Each structure stands twice: as C-alpha cells, then as structure tokens.
C-alpha cells in the first residue's frame, strides 16, 4: 500500500516513473507480440507439413476448406468482435466469392489468380449489400436481416441457374494454374495456408493501428465517438468491406479446392459454424477465431462432414461456450496468465498525484486571468421536446480562456444546452457562433474537429484498453485514416502511432496520472479516474473549448478536488471550459464565472471575483436540492 498524498508532489521524479512505466508497458507488449509470432510460425509450419502425413485429393480438399472457414471467421471477427456489429451474412459473402470465382473460371475461362480477384470483388459487393442495413439498424434487427440473406441464397441461386447451375451446383471450374503451371492439390492447400497467414498478418496490423481504436470506439462508445471527431457510419461501412474481404477470398479458394460450388455449402450450418467459432475462441481477440474454429473443425472431421451430428455438435458448442466461457477461450487464458503474473496495485481510489505544493482544496490556486475575445456565442436558442420547453431562448457567450460553471436546478436544460453546443441536438430556433463562423446545424464530428470537445455523464471509454490508449483515441479522429498504410504497417502509420503516443504521454504527465495506471485496462480503475481519463482524451487533441456535463457527479470529496485541480490546470493551459455542476463549493472553488440556467433561460451570469448578483447569491446560498424544480414567480 502506498499513500499518494505522502509522495513528493509533482517533481521530475514522477515523470521518470511515468517513463519507466511506459517503457515497461511497451516492453511487455513487444514480448507478448514475439510470443504470438512464434506461436503463429509454429502453427503454420505444423499445418504446412500436413501433406506429408495425409494425402489424396479428398484429404487436401477437406483441409483446404477448413482453412477457408478459419479465414472467413477471421473476417467475421473483425465485424462482430472488434466492431460489435451483429452481422451474420458471412456465408453469403463466401458463396458470392465462390460463385463469382467459379463462374469466371467455368464460363469465361479466366485464369486462377484473376478468377480469385473476381471472387473477392463479388464477395465484397455481396458483403456491402447484405450488411448495408447496419448503417440504419442495430443489434438483433441487423442479425436477422443479414441472416435472411443466408436463407434467400438458395432461391437466388436457383433463379440464376443458367449461370450458377442452380440446384445441381456449378461445375466446370478449371484446375488452378499460375503462370502456366498447374497447381496440384497440395500446392493449392499450401497457397491457401499462406493466404490465411497473410490475412492474419494484415488483420493484426489493422487492429494494432489507429483503425483498431476506430473499430472499438464504434463498438464501445457508440454515438459518443462522434464527439472525438469520428464518423461511426463511415467506419462501419469500411468494416463491412474489411470483414467481407477474408470471407470472399475464402469462398473463391473453396471454389477451386472443391472444383464445385453448391449453395448448400453456404447455409445456416456454415453461419452457425463461423459464429460459434468466433464466440468460442473469443470475439474481439486476434486468436479468437483460430482458437475457436480449431476444435469445431476437428469435431467435424471426427464425425464426418456430412454427418447429422455436425449441426448438433455446433449447436452444443455454441451452448457450452455461452455458459462456460461467455467471453471465449482466449480472454479466459489471458485472465489465467495475468493472475499468475501479479502487477503493482493501484491503491488509491483516485490514482493521481496532487497538483501544486499546497495539495488541493486551496481556493487561492485561482489566479485572475485575462480572457480573450468571445469565442462561443448562443443567441435565442430554443428546443422543445414534445410539450416540454427545455430551452427557451438562451443567450450567452463565453470568452476565450474562461472556466465557466453552468449551474441550475435539475431539468433546467443544462444537458440539453450542452448537447446543442456539441451538435448532438439541433436547436429549433436560434443560432450558435463559434469563433467567426455560424456553426448552427454542424455535425458532432465537425464541431469536434473544429475544437469543441466534450465528455459524458457516464464516461465513454474502451474498457479493455489502458488509460494511455484511451487518451490516444482522442487523436485518431484528427489524423489521416488511410487503410493501406495501416494494414501494411508502413512507416507513415508507425509515425502516426508515435505521434499519438507522445501526445497522450504529455497529457498523462500534465494531468499527473499515477504512473502505475499507465498500462492498466481502464475497466480496473475507479469512476473518478475514468472521468479524468475521458477529460484527458478530450484534451489530447488540444481543443479550443471543453464542454463537461457533471464531471463530479458520483465522486467523493477527494476525487472531486482532484478533478477540480485538473480542470484548473487545463484552463491554465488556455483551454476554455464550460462545466455543468451541482456542487456549489466545487464551482465556487474552480470557476472564473458562473451562469445560472433556470427553466431553459440564462437568468444570471457573473464573474466570481466581483460582487455576485442577488439572484445568484440566493441560488448559491439555498443549496439547491436536486429534485425540486424552481418555478418562476
Ligand atoms: P438538466 O441537465 O439541467 O437537468 P435536461 O437538459 O436534461 O436538464 O432536461 C431539460 C428538460 O428537457 C427536462 O424537462 C427533460 O425532461 C427534458 N428533456 C431532456 N432531454 C429530453 C429528450 N431527449 N426527450 C424528451 N425530453 C427531454
Ligand atoms: Mg443533466
């Protein structure tokens, strides 16, 4: 146990500790990566040697198709695991890849590599079409709609039997050849294996890049991701294509492996197989689809691919995984390993060091600052919800560099106003000017990129990532998002990663986070800490204005003081802050000025170093009970 308050206050020592912790964390990640690569290479060698022990066209076809299934599961995991999109149409994507490649080869005599490319294109098109509803609907609706595509597939195949061979299947696929050489069965198997390894590598790179943050942001912080400058639907659409890619390639390879395509191979059982594989292994982990598919495939080899027990075994697998290992095997193994390697404890409920020598709670920290021009102005802002007039013509302005407290009884419209300012709610009337532009009606992500940041009452963070990574996420919306450099891990992408990390470390130091929290998953830390991490995420992109909705709600006294210190620190760095808060001592301690919102109108506004107007004085004295609404006389 250590007491952070007894540590020497903010010195270079602390920063050294941060550097040490950072290096240790990076080293840990690198070590883990090396282990993973070593395991992957061993598995590849093992699988590559299979033709030595098991031969014959039939055996190769079985193993080749098994690899194709794993490949498709890797794609599915990108959508369902990393991005949290419940899409179940991957069997259709595989079918489209298989039919497109097969038809190009059988009907047009297109050579193997180009037929595979055609298959990928066909699968991507099908994937985009099937998953497109995901831009409008979520959750089980999306699952059902995509599942519907799987049910419809055999009909479509029959309707187009002139090309697809209908119920009899597509035949006449040419044996694969490359540069004039005929690829024998085992070579095709090895090619499939290499392509699976390549897909795995590209996906690992993708998930490690800023895109890994984008996908998880869509999954875990939903609409709030727009507040850090991301466009969730754009990311979703990209993910649909990215997730369809491996499945499309897998389908195309399967067409050549089997030299035959039949809609029956791409039905509900394949859907179930892929889904079970991803869930059993651990959705949203790199190894998940591989670890999960392996036992299922082994099982189907054992009972025979055409056995009726296959579907039963899959159903049982899904049941067991849901009950015994709800997050899958990989997270289970991870937890088991991390339990055996104890990490340093974070003893304090608020793992941050105090700011300044005097510790916290000293009102004299506030020094009179000179404010710049008015940078955010609202005029006549109105908003009605049904019959409730939440905002009734708000007029106000904020000067650059100011720390403004927005106070007022519950239901007076504070959150609504913040939502209007950050673009989450469009006002019915009135306008908002930011700097010299009329920003009324701008999208959330546009406002975020223009420098209006915000946090949420319930911190919107990515639980599995560390505090440092969660701060980094504040930057991905501001940087170039090109996929090529991400999946190939080009120097450009590595440079981006370095920039993000440096900026996040700077915030980590500036906000005096305890070093030992750096490499910790955020889920393990307290609410108070999460609140300041979220503020750190908003601050890392150097916003002009920060809008904070009740950041101190639910915090204890010590946490609240720590939070106040952080806010003053940010204000001192020149960030303008508008903070909604109930707690009167808190706002009196940290704010430069106060704005009183009552019944959807700003009724008072005053600088705190001048005499307060009577109305504000009265409000502050009668510590407002949150449940009673003040009514205008
Ligand atoms: P505060 O944050 O000051 O407590 P809010 O801005 O949350 O107040 O709410 C102001 C008024 O608007 C309340 O009467 C509330 O019921 C209403 N309101 C807020 N959001 C919505 C919504 N999405 N739909 C309907 N009414 C809402
Ligand atoms: Mg509110």
């Amino acid at each position: 146990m250590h007491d952070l308050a007894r540590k020497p206050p903010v010195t270079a020592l602390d920063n050294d500790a941060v550097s040490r912790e950072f290096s240790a964390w990076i080293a840990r990640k690198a070590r883990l990566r090396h282990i993973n690569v070593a395991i992957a290479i061993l598995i590849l060698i093992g699988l590559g040697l299979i033709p030595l022990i098991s031969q014959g066209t039939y055996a190769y076809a079985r193993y080749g198709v098994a690899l194709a299934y794993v490949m498709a599961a890797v794609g599915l995991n990108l959508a369902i695991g990393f991005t949290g999109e419940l899409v179940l149409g991957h069997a259709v994507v595989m079918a489209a890849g298989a039919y497109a490649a097969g038809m190009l080869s059988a009907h047009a005599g297109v050579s193997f590599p180009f037929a595979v490319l055609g298959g990928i294109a066909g699968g991507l098109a099908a994937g985009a079409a099937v998953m497109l509803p995901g831009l409008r609907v979520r959750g089980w609706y999306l699952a059902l709609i995509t599942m519907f595509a799987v049910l419809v597939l055999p009909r479509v195949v029959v309707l187009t039997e002139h090309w697809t061979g209908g119920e009899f299947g597509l035949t006449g696929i040419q044996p694969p050849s490359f540069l004039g050489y005929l690829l024998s069965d085992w070579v095709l198997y090895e090619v499939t294996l290499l392509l699976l390894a390549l897909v795995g590598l590209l996906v690992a790179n993708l998930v490690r890049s800023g895109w890994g943050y984008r996908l998880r942001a869509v999954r875990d912080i939903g609409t709030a991701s727009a507040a850090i400058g991301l466009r969730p639907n754009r990311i979703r659409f990209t993910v649909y294509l990215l997730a369809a890619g491996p499945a499309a390639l897998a389908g195309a390879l399967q067409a050549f492996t089997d030299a035959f395509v039949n809609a029956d191979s791409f039905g509900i059982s394949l859907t179930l197989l892929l889904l079970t594989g991803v869930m059993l292994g651990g959705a949203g982990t790199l190894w998940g689809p591989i670890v999960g598919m392996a036992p299922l495939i082994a099982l189907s080899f054992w009972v025979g691919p055409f056995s009726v027990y296959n579907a039963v075994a899959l159903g049982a697998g899904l049941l067991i995984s849901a009950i015994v290992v709800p997050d899958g095997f990989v997270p289970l193994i991870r937890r088991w390993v991390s339990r055996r390697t104890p990490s340093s404890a974070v003893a304090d409920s608020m793992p941050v060091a105090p700011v300044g020598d005097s510790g916290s709670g000293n009102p004299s920290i506030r020094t009179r600052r000179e404010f710049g021009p008015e940078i955010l102005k609202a005029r006549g802002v109105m908003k009605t919800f049904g019959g409730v007039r939440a905002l009734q013509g708000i007029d106000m302005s904020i000067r650059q560099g100011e720390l403004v407290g927005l106070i007022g009884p519950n239901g007076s419209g504070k959150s609504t106003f913040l939502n209007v300012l950050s673009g989450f709610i469009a006002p019915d009337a009135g306008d908002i000017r930011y700097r010299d532009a009329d920003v009324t009606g701008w999208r959330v992500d546009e406002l975020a990129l223009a420098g209006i940041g915000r946090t949420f009452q319930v911190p919107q963070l990515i639980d599995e990532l560390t505090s440092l990574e969660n701060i980094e996420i504040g930057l991905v919306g501001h940087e170039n998002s090109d996929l090529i450099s991400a999946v190939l891990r080009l120097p450009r992408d590595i440079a981006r990663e370095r920039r993000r990390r440096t900026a996040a470390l700077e915030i980590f130091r500036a906000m005096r986070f305890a070093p030992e929290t750096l490499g910790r998953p955020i889920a393990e830390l307290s609410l108070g800490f999460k609140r300041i991490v979220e503020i750190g995420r908003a601050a890392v992109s150097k916003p002009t204005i920060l809008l904070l909705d009740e950041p101190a709600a639910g915090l204890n006294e010590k946490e609240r003081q720590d939070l106040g210190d952080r806010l003053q620190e940010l204000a001192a760095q020149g960030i303008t802050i508008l903070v909604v808060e109930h707690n009167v001592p808190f706002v009196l301690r940290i704010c430069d000025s106060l704005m009183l919102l009552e019944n959807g109108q700003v009724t008072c506004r005053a600088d705190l170093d001048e005499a307060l107007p009577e109305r504000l004085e009265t409000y502050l004295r009668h510590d407002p009970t949150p449940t009673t609404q003040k009514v205008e006389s």
Side-chain angles (χ1 to χ4, degrees):
M1 289 280 283
H2 59 258
D3 186 352
L4 286 168
R6 246 185 281 128
K7 272 189 177 174
V10 202
T11 56
L13 241 170
D14 273 73
N15 281 343
D16 283 350
V18 170
S19 303
R20 262 202 310 279
E21 198 69 36
F22 179 69
S23 312
W25 176 64
I26 292 288
R28 239 176 8 249
K29 277 167 87 93
R31 200 159 52 235
L32 204 62
R33 209 160 28 239
H34 293 156
I35 295 174
N36 278 327
V37 170
I39 295 175
I41 289 174
L42 285 180
I43 293 178
L44 278 178
I45 292 175
L47 291 175
L49 293 179
I50 278 186
L52 289 183
I53 52 162
S54 180
Q55 284 160 355
T57 302
Y58 176 66
Y60 290 139
R62 277 219 303 185
Y63 289 118
V65 170
L67 293 183
Y69 288 166
V70 175
M71 196 186 283
V74 168
L76 179 65
N77 184 38
L78 264 184
I80 227 171
F82 283 103
T83 322
E85 295 288 287
L86 270 180
V87 288
L88 302 179
H90 269 57
V92 174
V93 177
M94 270 187 94
Y99 274 110
M103 289 189 293
L104 282 173
S105 172
H107 303 327
V110 174
S111 70
F112 169 69
F114 290 103
V116 168
L117 287 179
I120 294 177
L124 289 182
V130 167
M131 296 188 258
L132 206 58
L135 301 185
R136 305 305 297 270
V137 297
R138 296 262 78 78
W140 286 108
Y141 275 125
L142 182 56
L144 282 176
I145 290 173
T146 47
M147 186 77 126
F148 182 63
V150 179
L151 298 176
V152 169
L153 175 74
R155 308 268 157 254
V156 176
V157 167
V158 168
L159 284 175
T160 54
E161 68 182 332
H162 179 66
W163 297 287
T164 59
E167 288 178 55
F168 302 106
L170 177 69
T171 51
I173 298 171
Q174 305 298 313
S177 63
F178 188 59
L179 301 175
Y181 292 99
L182 207 62
L183 305 185
S184 64
D185 295 333
W186 77 268
V187 174
L188 183 59
Y189 167 82
E190 302 288 359
V191 167
T192 307
L193 183 61
L194 278 183
L195 288 174
L196 174 59
L198 183 66
V199 165
L201 180 67
L202 298 185
V203 168
N205 283 343
L206 179 84
V207 166
R208 192 180 165 189
S209 75
W211 274 93
Y213 292 149
R214 286 189 183 86
L215 308 189
R216 293 178 177 108
V218 167
R219 181 190 66 192
D220 289 352
I221 66 183
T223 46
S225 55
I228 46 173
L230 297 176
R231 299 186 64 178
N233 265 353
R234 194 174 273 192
I235 295 170
R236 278 194 186 99
F237 186 69
T238 312
V239 168
Y240 298 156
L241 293 178
L242 288 172
L249 173 62
L253 291 170
Q254 189 179 345
F256 281 97
T257 302
D258 286 341
F260 177 72
V261 184
N262 188 340
D264 289 348
S265 327
F266 304 103
I268 293 291
S269 14
L270 178 59
T271 306
L272 204 60
L273 173 74
L274 299 177
L275 183 65
T276 311
V278 171
M279 293 315 209
L280 189 66
T285 62
L286 277 176
W287 281 106
I290 297 156
V291 170
M293 290 297 279
L296 299 178
I297 288 169
L299 196 72
S300 90
F301 275 17
W302 185 50
V303 299
F306 303 110
S307 161
V308 285
Y309 294 114
N310 228 337
V312 176
L314 285 180
L318 195 54
L319 267 181
I320 292 172
S321 68
I323 296 167
V324 183
V325 278
D327 327 325
F329 283 125
V330 173
L332 193 75
I333 296 169
R334 255 195 220 148
R335 273 199 298 275
W336 183 71
V337 170
S338 70
R339 208 170 307 141
R340 289 164 47 104
T341 49
S343 52
S344 58
V346 180
D348 205 272
S349 67
M350 188 67 155
V352 285
V355 174
D357 288 332
S358 56
S360 40
N362 184 351
S364 69
I365 288 177
R366 197 174 68 230
T367 50
R368 183 76 175 95
R369 285 196 301 270
E370 289 302 315
F371 304 124
E374 296 178 340
I375 51 164
L376 188 66
K377 252 189 280 192
R379 233 187 10 221
V381 171
M382 310 260 253
K383 180 70 202 175
T384 310
F385 294 111
V388 183
R389 297 168 69 187
L391 303 181
Q392 308 188 33
I394 291 200
D395 294 297
M396 65 108 228
S397 63
I398 295 174
R399 293 159 297 184
Q400 183 149 29
E402 201 174 11
L403 205 173
V404 188
L406 181 62
I407 56 176
N410 249 0
S412 58
K414 303 182 297 294
S415 294
T416 306
F417 185 49
L418 238 57
N419 282 330
V420 167
L421 289 180
S422 53
F424 278 93
I425 291 178
D428 298 334
D431 57 42
I432 294 154
R433 293 190 71 80
Y434 168 59
R435 294 202 151 135
D436 290 322
D438 183 351
V439 298
T440 327
W442 279 30
R443 281 197 319 266
V444 177
D445 56 289
E446 289 173 329
L447 289 169
L449 293 184
I452 302 187
R454 71 165 291 177
T455 63
F456 297 83
Q457 269 180 305
V458 177
Q460 304 282 323
L461 299 166
I462 298 173
D463 278 352
E464 70 194 41
L465 299 182
T466 66
S467 58
L468 191 73
E469 289 172 317
N470 268 292
I471 296 171
E472 267 185 52
I473 293 169
L475 288 170
V476 287
H478 295 257
E479 62 188 29
N480 190 332
S481 63
D482 73 313
L483 269 170
I484 302 294
S485 68
V487 293
L488 298 180
R489 201 165 166 73
L490 298 183
R492 230 176 326 151
D493 194 61
I494 298 173
R496 275 198 290 265
E497 180 183 278
R498 196 162 300 147
R499 266 200 305 278
R500 276 200 308 267
R501 233 144 244 176
T502 311
L505 265 181
E506 209 173 285
I507 287 285
F508 195 91
R509 289 200 170 103
M511 292 183 82
R512 313 273 192 270
F513 292 133
E516 60 270 30
T517 63
L518 188 145
R520 281 296 189 91
I522 199 76
E524 295 174 10
L525 299 161
S526 69
L527 173 68
F529 187 68
K530 287 179 184 168
R531 285 252 168 77
I532 34 175
V533 167
E534 201 190 27
I535 293 170
R537 184 184 67 194
V540 75
S541 62
K542 308 225 181 319
T544 314
I545 304 188
L546 266 182
L547 309 171
L548 310 174
D549 198 355
E550 306 205 19
L555 303 194
N556 65 31
E557 191 51 37
K558 160 93 170 50
E559 292 177 317
R560 196 180 301 135
Q561 291 203 342
D562 279 330
L563 174 77
D565 292 346
R566 252 90 241 159
L567 296 186
Q568 290 195 303
E569 183 105 325
L570 290 176
Q573 289 172 18
I575 297 178
T576 309
I577 298 176
L578 177 64
V579 53
V580 170
E581 189 45 58
H582 273 303
N583 188 286
V584 171
F586 178 80
V587 289
L588 287 180
R589 180 168 79 86
I590 69 163
C591 293
D592 298 312
S593 59
L594 288 183
M595 222 167 6
L596 178 60
L597 195 63
E598 290 176 292
N599 289 316
Q601 275 178 321
V602 176
T603 51
C604 253
R605 145 123 229 200
D607 285 351
L608 275 176
D609 54 359
E610 289 163 7
L612 295 182
E614 203 186 308
R615 187 178 191 92
L616 195 58
E617 201 59 88
T618 319
Y619 180 85
L620 293 175
R621 226 181 4 253
H622 300 281
D623 209 349
T625 40
T627 42
T628 49
Q629 182 132 351
K630 304 206 163 180
V631 184
E632 289 273 292
S633 53

